[in-house]
């Protein structure tokens, strides 16, 4: 098990030692390797661990520098914590309803955790805006770094918005999904939009199946969300989207997500079609409509980029007010 240590588990290891980003460095946004490279606990956790990258290899002896058997035990506990978060997230989908707000940086993740939410998701749009870019402009490496950061920021399970897997071919999707799982996420979504067009159904199903195989090779408890981007195709019918959702469920998706199918009748039809697998609905308005979806049998509601959008809108409004008081400039 130790030889399969993932970089995300280094983060959990610090948590097990009671040293969160904030506690160790006074900020939650320092990179994990920067923290681990420093000389904590006498002879340095990270310098030795980092040499082994994703596995301990010859540096299993590094554990001796923090207490021999005790150190190995704590590492195993850290890895168990990742497994516990994944199992807890899967358990949330077994019955009832929960909210899955989308965080876009360390601060939003920490605040959502403090408010008592049970899990968070990432948002491709929110992450891009935080980086000064537009949705879809972040590449694979940037997104992996972002997921690592979110996982490190909170004790909550993280559901990754993994877009189209950053690849078209199924085998490339599988490779990238494995990289995402190794960041410590509890779930990830794969969508059927290439960035310019909808994948044909057969190819889309093959991509979901490849993602499932990649996940199962690492940790079968990680959930796969099959996502149909129906809103991007003007003439795509609800029935066609539901057919795709059923096909994705059959190919190994654990949860189904068709953004902006919000009509209650259509949502009920989707739920029935993929049952007993759970359905996610994205909401933009935070009102009683959420309770109505729960009553229909929707298992979870995410918010996509809407929370980030509301936050940036408030920021812009405040900044515009401030700008009026620029000395010598009343524009």
């Amino acid at each position: 098990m130790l030889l399969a240590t993932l970089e995300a588990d280094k983060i959990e290891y610090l948590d097990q030692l009671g040293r969160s980003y904030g506690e160790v460095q006074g900020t939650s946004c320092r990179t994990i390797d920067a923290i681990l490279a420093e000389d904590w606990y006498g002879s340095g956790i990270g310098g030795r661990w980092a040499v082994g990258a994703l596995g301990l290899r010859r540096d299993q002896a590094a554990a001796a520098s923090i207490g021999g058997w005790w150190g190995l035990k704590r590492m195993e506990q850290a890895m168990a914590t990742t497994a516990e978060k994944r199992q807890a997230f899967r358990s949330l989908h077994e019955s009832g309803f929960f909210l899955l707000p989308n965080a876009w940086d360390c601060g939003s993740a920490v605040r959502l955790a403090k408010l008592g939410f049970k899990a968070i998701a990432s948002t491709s749009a929110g992450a891009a805006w935080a980086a000064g870019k537009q949705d879809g402009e972040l590449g694979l490496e940037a997104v992996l770094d972002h997921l690592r950061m979110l996982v490190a920021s909170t004790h909550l399970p993280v559901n990754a918005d993994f877009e189209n897997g950053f690849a078209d071919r199924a085998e490339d999707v599988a490779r990238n999904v494995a990289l995402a799982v190794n960041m410590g996420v509890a779930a990830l979504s794969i969508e059927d939009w290439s960035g310019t067009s909808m994948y044909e159904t057969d190819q889309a199903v093959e991509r979901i199946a490849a993602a499932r195989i990649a996940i199962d090779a690492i940790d079968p408890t990680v959930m796969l969300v099959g996502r149909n981007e129906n809103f991007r195709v003007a003439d795509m019918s609800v029935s066609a989207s539901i057919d795709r959702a059923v096909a994705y469920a059959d190919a190994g998706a654990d949860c189904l997500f068709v953004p902006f199918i919000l009509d209650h009748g259509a949502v009920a039809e989707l739920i029935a079609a993929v049952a007993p697998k759970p359905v996610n609905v994205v909401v933009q308005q935070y009102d009683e409509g959420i309770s109505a979806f729960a009553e229909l049998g929707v298992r979870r509601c995410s918010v996509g980029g809407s929370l980030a959008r509301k936050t940036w809108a408030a920021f812009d409004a405040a900044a515009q007010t401030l700008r009026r008081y620029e000395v010598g400039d009343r524009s």
Side-chain angles (χ1 to χ4, degrees):
M1 182 177 182
L2 286 173
L3 290 177
T5 301
L6 307 175
E7 186 151 343
D9 291 320
K10 300 180 199 171
I11 297 163
E12 295 299 334
Y13 179 59
L14 286 178
D15 288 340
Q16 288 293 325
L17 293 175
R19 310 290 284 191
S20 69
Y21 273 177
E23 291 171 321
V24 173
Q25 296 291 22
T27 174
S28 63
C29 293
R30 283 289 294 273
T31 62
I32 185 63
D33 285 331
I35 293 174
L36 289 172
E38 295 190 25
D39 193 25
W40 296 105
Y41 302 101
S43 54
I45 303 167
R48 292 177 174 81
W49 204 339
V51 170
L54 299 181
L56 293 180
R57 294 194 281 275
R58 65 181 177 81
D59 276 335
Q60 290 185 42
S65 69
I66 53 171
W69 177 88
W70 178 88
L72 290 171
K73 190 68 175 176
R74 299 294 279 190
M75 292 177 204
E76 288 180 336
Q77 289 173 343
M79 288 181 281
T81 300
T82 298
E84 288 165 4
K85 288 197 289 187
R86 289 169 171 170
Q87 187 56 57
F89 190 64
R90 182 170 282 274
S91 296
L92 287 174
H93 293 76
E94 293 176 358
S95 62
F97 171 83
F98 69 99
L99 288 168
L100 185 66
N102 300 70
W104 60 92
D105 62 8
C106 292
S108 58
V110 169
R111 286 173 178 269
L112 290 169
K114 286 183 177 179
L115 286 170
F117 290 100
K118 298 174 183 177
I120 61 170
S122 66
T123 158
S124 62
W129 297 334
K133 298 179 181 294
Q134 296 302 311
D135 191 11
E137 291 184 353
L138 294 182
L140 174 62
E141 290 303 322
V143 169
L144 292 174
D145 286 344
H146 178 73
L147 294 176
R148 183 189 294 113
M149 175 271 294
L150 285 182
V151 170
S153 298
T154 176
H155 65 282
L156 297 179
V158 175
N159 187 132
D161 176 353
F162 206 52
E163 303 179 53
N164 74 331
F166 300 90
D168 295 323
R169 299 190 309 166
E171 56 267 36
D172 296 330
V173 171
R175 182 189 64 244
N176 294 342
V177 163
L179 294 173
V181 171
N182 287 348
M183 296 302 100
V185 300
L188 60 85
S189 61
I190 293 293
E191 62 191 44
D192 51 14
W193 179 255
S194 72
T196 57
S197 63
M198 185 81 66
Y199 294 111
E200 294 297 328
T201 300
D202 288 347
Q203 183 181 6
V205 169
E206 183 183 10
R207 287 159 43 81
I208 292 291
R212 178 78 264 163
I213 292 171
I215 289 171
D216 288 349
I218 300 171
D219 184 350
T221 64
V222 174
M223 294 189 68
L224 175 61
V225 181
R227 174 168 167 163
N228 168 234
E229 299 287 279
N230 70 315
F231 66 96
R232 299 186 186 274
V233 180
D235 60 349
M236 189 167 193
S237 67
V238 169
S239 61
S241 289
I242 291 176
D243 287 345
R244 281 192 175 233
V246 170
Y248 300 165
D250 291 342
D254 299 294
C255 179
L256 291 307
F257 180 21
V258 185
F260 305 116
I261 284 187
L262 301 175
D263 174 80
H264 286 191
V267 171
E269 186 179 350
L270 172 62
I271 292 170
V274 301
K277 294 191 175 181
V279 167
N280 182 96
V281 168
V282 65
V283 295
Q284 307 290 316
Q285 302 299 320
Y286 310 159
D287 56 23
E288 292 78 8
I290 295 174
S291 299
F293 284 126
E295 290 172 4
L296 283 173
V298 170
R299 185 70 69 233
R300 63 187 218 186
C301 278
S302 58
V303 301
S306 66
L307 190 56
R309 186 180 298 108
K310 292 174 187 292
T311 302
W312 284 112
F315 175 92
D316 288 344
Q320 288 165 5
T321 299
L322 175 64
R323 180 71 173 82
R324 298 194 195 107
Y325 296 94
E326 183 73 60
V327 175
D329 186 351
R330 299 297 181 184
S331 59

